[in-house]
């Protein structure tokens, strides 16, 4: 078996990689029959020499490998037919801009596994960069507030050496008594929580958050049944929400009346109700000043996310009364952060964490006969066809 670590070729450049040199070295030691090659790259956060120093082969041509691992979408011209690939394709929600990519994977007879589709028997994702999206998203939320109100200036996360440097900058701040509301308690939410806890922002209950005033910054982290309610008023469980999201409406307005900063760390299904609506944003008693939309679904659950933003220009202003983009310093503007590749601002930390998760949860499946069905569940294409689990994408492939 021969693994190839491919060079990232998508623009803007992404410095992340699925395996750090240390993790690849550990991989080779653990699985003696495995060969590994790394494609030379001048943008990766780890240099070619970092890999060579640990005895890992680096080459310009790695086409003799059978299984390729990358992070972002591989440009169609660089896909090699009749191989296996792992990367984030951004196709499982039928994203229009990547239809041609999925078609190419089928036409080139590639066995394709999306990192998003690597799940356990309960359909819980096994790997991802979500935690690091949460860390940078929380940092950017605080940075946006400082810029908007000219209280402090934090450097861009991408200019820092890593997570510890990011936290060190935050710990120097003295924040006003802000209220932060965070939607979502998964991996992204854990990253947000890690930052807020590290800088000693107190977590409070929903009830206290909604009813009490504080002299120091506080946050509350809420899950789907705390920001959605059934239309018929019944109180049921999580499974009912996930099975029947169309029966629910947003119950988030009670948070807009008391929150200064909103950080989104949730997953939002297409059928679920909008969380933060235009009506909520336009209400006279809406107190929100910053929305850090880590989920970054344009035209999705957060109505002020008019477009995704970039690492270079992460913030834009949103004018609720006219539902349009304005300068962030417009007196009535809410600052929106909607960067869709936040983990790439912490490329070293994110790469190390991602490789550890792959090593723990996925790589053993190649050597134990896939006894837990991880690879079987994740495989989207095989022998030029969609696998049964992903047959729902056929109309997307066909262009319907």
């Amino acid at each position: 078996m021969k693994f190839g670590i491919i060079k990232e070729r998508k623009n803007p450049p992404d410095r992340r990689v699925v395996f750090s040199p240390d993790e690849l070295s550990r991989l080779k030691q653990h699985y003696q029959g495995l060969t590994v090659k790394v494609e030379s790259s001048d943008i990766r956060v780890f240099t070619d020499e970092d890999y060579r120093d640990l005895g890992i082969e680096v080459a310009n041509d790695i086409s003799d490998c059978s299984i390729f691992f990358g992070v972002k979408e591989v440009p169609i011209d660089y896909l090699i037919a009749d191989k296996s690939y792992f990367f984030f394709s951004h196709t499982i929600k039928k994203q229009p801009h990547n239809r041609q990519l999925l078609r190419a994977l089928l036409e080139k007879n590639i066995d394709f596994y999306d990192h998003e589709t690597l799940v356990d028997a309960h359909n819980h994702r096994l790997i991802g960069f979500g935690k690091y999206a949460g860390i940078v998203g929380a940092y950017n939320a605080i940075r946006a507030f400082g810029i908007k109100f000219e209280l402090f200036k934090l450097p861009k996360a991408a200019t820092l050496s890593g997570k510890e440097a990011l936290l060190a900058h935050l710990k120097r701040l003295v924040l006003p008594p802000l209220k932060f509301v965070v939607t979502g308690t998964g991996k992204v939410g854990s990253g947000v929580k890690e930052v807020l806890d590290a800088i000693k922002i107190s977590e409070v209950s929903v009830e206290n958050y909604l009813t009490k005033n504080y002299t120091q910054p506080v946050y509350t982290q809420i899950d789907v049944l705390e920001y959605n309610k059934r239309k018929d008023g019944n109180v049921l469980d999580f499974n009912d929400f996930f099975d029947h999201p169309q029966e629910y409406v947003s119950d988030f307005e009670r948070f807009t009346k008391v929150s200064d900063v909103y950080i989104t760390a949730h997953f939002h299904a297409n059928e679920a109700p909008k969380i933060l609506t235009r009506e909520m944003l336009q209400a006279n008693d809406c107190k929100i000043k910053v929305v850090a939309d880590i989920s970054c679904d344009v035209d999705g659950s957060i109505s002020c996310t008019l477009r995704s933003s970039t690492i270079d220009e992460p913030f834009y202003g949103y004018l609720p009364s006219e539902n349009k983009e304005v300068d962030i310093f417009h007196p009535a503007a809410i600052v929106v952060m909607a960067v869709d590749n936040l983990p790439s601002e912490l490329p070293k930390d994110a790469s190390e964490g991602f490789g550890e998760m792959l090593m723990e949860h996925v790589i053993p499946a190649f050597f134990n006969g896939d006894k837990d069905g991880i690879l079987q569940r994740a495989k989207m294409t095989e022998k030029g066809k969609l696998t049964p689990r992903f047959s729902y994408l056929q109309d997307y492939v066909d262009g319907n």
Side-chain angles (χ1 to χ4, degrees):
M1 194 177 298
K2 202 164 191 176
F3 285 178
I5 310 305
I6 57 180
K7 176 181 178 178
E8 297 298 319
R9 291 182 165 87
K10 189 178 179 184
N11 273 317
D14 196 309
R15 302 182 68 210
R16 290 174 294 171
V17 63
V18 291
F19 285 113
S20 68
D22 285 341
E23 207 61 35
L24 268 192
S25 177
R26 195 162 75 89
L27 186 67
K28 285 179 63 182
Q29 291 170 12
H30 199 74
Y31 299 105
Q32 297 297 322
L34 177 66
T35 306
V36 176
K37 278 175 95 170
V38 173
E39 187 175 8
S40 179
S41 169
D42 56 355
I43 62 167
R44 197 178 283 133
V45 67
F46 302 103
T47 67
D48 290 353
E49 287 307 309
D50 290 336
Y51 288 95
R52 290 193 180 107
D53 287 347
L54 291 178
I56 297 158
E57 183 180 358
V58 179
N60 289 316
D61 182 3
I62 61 168
S63 58
D64 57 331
C65 296
S66 54
I67 302 168
F68 295 103
F69 292 87
V71 179
K72 303 289 278 186
E73 299 98 314
V74 176
I76 289 170
D77 291 346
Y78 287 91
L79 290 169
I80 304 173
D82 304 311
K83 302 283 189 177
S84 295
Y85 279 85
F86 288 73
F87 58 83
F88 287 105
S89 71
H90 301 290
T91 57
I92 63 173
K93 285 188 178 181
K94 303 185 179 182
Q95 292 94 321
H97 62 287
N98 280 337
R99 178 185 284 119
Q100 294 301 332
L101 174 58
L102 185 52
R103 284 176 173 167
L105 292 166
L106 292 163
E107 289 164 3
K108 291 175 182 275
N109 204 39
I110 287 168
D111 286 355
F112 177 62
Y113 307 77
D114 196 300
H115 293 313
E116 282 193 76
T117 65
L118 290 161
V119 297
D120 64 16
H122 303 289
N123 218 37
H124 296 139
R125 280 184 62 181
L126 294 170
I127 61 169
F129 289 105
K131 175 185 171 184
Y132 301 94
I135 289 169
V136 180
Y139 178 84
N140 279 352
I142 296 169
R143 181 169 176 252
F145 189 90
I147 291 171
K148 166 73 174 176
F149 296 100
E150 300 180 323
L151 291 176
F152 49 81
K153 284 189 176 179
L154 289 167
K156 289 182 179 178
T159 66
L160 303 175
S161 60
K163 182 183 74 172
E164 293 309 316
L166 177 152
L167 292 176
H169 276 280
L170 290 175
K171 287 174 181 177
R172 297 185 193 124
L173 301 178
V174 178
L175 293 174
L178 301 174
K179 282 187 169 182
F180 295 79
V181 61
V182 183
T183 48
T185 58
K187 288 185 173 67
V188 180
S190 74
V192 175
K193 180 175 171 58
E194 183 174 331
V195 170
L196 299 181
D197 289 346
I199 61 174
K200 302 294 192 287
I201 296 179
S202 300
E203 183 173 13
V204 298
S205 69
V206 169
E207 182 180 357
N208 286 344
Y209 183 89
L210 293 173
T211 59
K212 291 187 177 182
N213 293 319
Y214 294 88
T215 56
Q216 76 279 354
V218 298
Y219 79 94
T220 195
Q221 186 168 24
I222 56 178
D223 217 331
V224 289
L225 295 185
E226 289 166 312
Y227 58 87
N228 292 290
K229 60 184 178 183
R230 272 190 71 99
K231 295 174 184 176
D232 61 13
N234 290 332
V235 180
L236 298 173
D237 59 11
F238 287 98
N239 292 329
D240 181 69
F241 175 80
F242 292 118
D243 291 341
H244 307 287
Q246 68 280 3
E247 299 299 324
Y248 286 76
V249 293
S250 175
D251 193 25
F252 190 69
E253 188 166 19
R254 55 200 183 128
F255 294 95
T256 68
K257 299 172 190 290
V258 298
S259 301
D260 299 289
V261 179
Y262 173 27
I263 305 175
T264 79
H266 57 261
F267 171 79
H268 188 261
N270 291 338
E271 303 80 19
K274 275 186 179 287
I275 299 170
L276 181 59
T277 66
R278 285 176 60 182
E279 291 73 25
M280 293 178 196
L281 290 160
Q282 290 170 353
N284 291 330
D285 58 357
C286 177
K287 284 190 62 182
I288 292 176
K289 301 167 186 69
V290 173
V291 175
D293 188 4
I294 301 169
S295 65
C296 195
D297 282 332
V298 177
D299 296 326
S301 60
I302 308 300
S303 289
C304 54
T305 302
L306 301 178
R307 62 173 176 86
S308 57
S309 55
T310 66
I311 290 171
D312 286 340
E313 299 289 341
F315 310 123
Y316 56 87
Y318 172 79
L319 187 60
S321 60
E322 298 183 35
N323 189 44
K324 71 175 186 181
E325 183 176 334
V326 294
D327 187 270
I328 65 169
F329 294 110
H330 186 294
I334 293 170
V335 183
V336 177
M337 189 287 303
V339 177
D340 61 5
N341 59 336
L342 287 168
S344 61
E345 294 202 60
L346 288 180
K348 184 175 183 292
D349 298 85
S351 298
E352 289 171 344
F354 194 83
E356 289 168 7
M357 286 183 279
L358 264 177
M359 185 73 169
E360 179 182 356
H361 298 297
V362 179
I363 299 304
F366 287 97
F367 301 94
N368 65 17
D370 193 26
K371 65 182 180 66
D372 298 316
I374 289 166
L375 298 177
Q376 180 186 358
R377 280 190 296 274
K379 186 184 281 190
M380 291 179 62
T381 65
E382 184 176 29
K383 296 177 179 164
K385 294 182 179 179
L386 292 167
T387 59
R389 186 175 173 90
F390 297 94
S391 59
Y392 73 91
L393 292 170
Q394 191 62 56
D395 64 335
Y396 166 64
V397 170
D398 294 340
N400 298 330

